[in-house]
Amino acid sequence: MARQPAMQHTMHHSMDIRSCETDQDSEAIQAILNHVIQTSTALYDYEPRPLAQVMAWAEQKQASGLPLRGAFDVNDRLLGFATYGSFRPQPAYKYTVELSIYVDEAARGQGVASALMQDLIDLAELNQRHVMVGCIDANNEASIVLHRKFDFNHCGTVKQAGFKFDRWLDAAFYQKILSTPETPIDG
């Protein structure tokens, strides 16, 4: 199981980066997710997610020892959140994770995504991961810029992988190879 770091809090300007709590933070996570679903191609979902689904997802992350990290302002308002999970279910992919970062529309352009990305990279290394993958809608320039800033490289695009807002969407994959783990093992 992946272990959370002993140091739970990362300060970044006036932001506090810490693990989200299912009870307190699920409604804010739901609001951010549903806004993204309804207004963008950053998520290839059609329907808003009900709160029960968001809570079950958050609880599953916690139960699996996977990070669900939030950036909170001085008033403890959730500005954005980030997570990673299995890239694919087969066991040989155990060192590879796929990440997601979502920022509240009102908090964009303030370094929230960068703070969350650095936190996720630190956690991935701490948890002995080797590859981080971001799947980005090919038209999502802000997300591509973010990934490039952290030395993610474009490793392929699946053309017309999604269909939303009456058009085909290309899914671009970006990856970052970490120096961890020191001694990878089969099995």
Side-chain angles (χ1 to χ4, degrees):
M1 279 293 155
R3 293 210 340 260
Q4 291 297 317
M7 195 188 87
Q8 282 288 315
H9 300 277
T10 306
M11 290 305 288
H12 182 85
H13 304 297
S14 58
M15 270 181 275
D16 183 25
I17 308 290
R18 64 178 188 267
S19 292
C20 291
E21 302 295 330
T22 303
D23 294 342
Q24 294 109 287
D25 302 322
S26 288
E27 284 185 29
I29 289 170
Q30 179 197 27
I32 292 170
L33 277 175
N34 286 344
H35 184 267
V36 169
I37 289 168
Q38 291 169 305
T39 63
S40 82
T41 56
L43 270 168
Y44 285 14
D45 291 49
Y46 296 128
E47 298 299 326
R49 294 183 189 174
L51 185 60
Q53 183 184 345
V54 173
M55 291 182 81
W57 171 81
E59 285 166 4
Q60 181 57 44
K61 288 282 180 189
Q62 195 170 27
S64 302
L66 294 166
L68 179 53
R69 306 284 283 176
F72 297 86
D73 70 10
V74 291
N75 300 313
D76 228 29
R77 189 176 74 85
L78 186 68
L79 304 173
F81 67 94
T83 186
Y84 64 65
S86 300
F87 176 63
R88 298 190 78 186
Q90 294 83 2
Y93 286 108
K94 67 183 173 180
Y95 295 114
T96 301
V97 292
E98 185 170 346
L99 68 99
S100 301
I101 298 174
Y102 301 104
V103 177
D104 186 299
E105 187 181 37
R108 290 184 191 153
Q110 299 171 26
V112 175
S114 290
L116 287 166
M117 178 69 89
Q118 187 61 60
D119 184 69
L120 276 190
I121 291 167
D122 293 347
L123 285 170
E125 289 175 336
L126 188 78
N127 290 309
Q128 301 296 301
R129 306 300 184 163
H130 186 59
V131 175
M132 300 183 79
V133 176
C135 178
I136 308 167
D137 182 73
N139 289 321
N140 188 342
E141 199 54 47
S143 186
I144 290 168
V145 167
L146 172 72
H147 284 72
R148 285 196 177 132
K149 174 181 170 182
F150 285 91
D151 299 320
F152 281 73
N153 294 304
H154 181 253
C155 56
T157 297
V158 181
K159 301 281 189 188
Q160 300 184 13
F163 188 81
K164 185 175 179 181
F165 300 139
D166 295 321
R167 67 182 189 270
W168 290 108
L169 307 173
D170 296 345
F173 286 83
Y174 283 76
Q175 75 172 93
K176 179 178 180 74
I177 299 176
L178 307 174
S179 61
T180 50
E182 288 79 21
T183 52
I185 54 166
D186 288 1

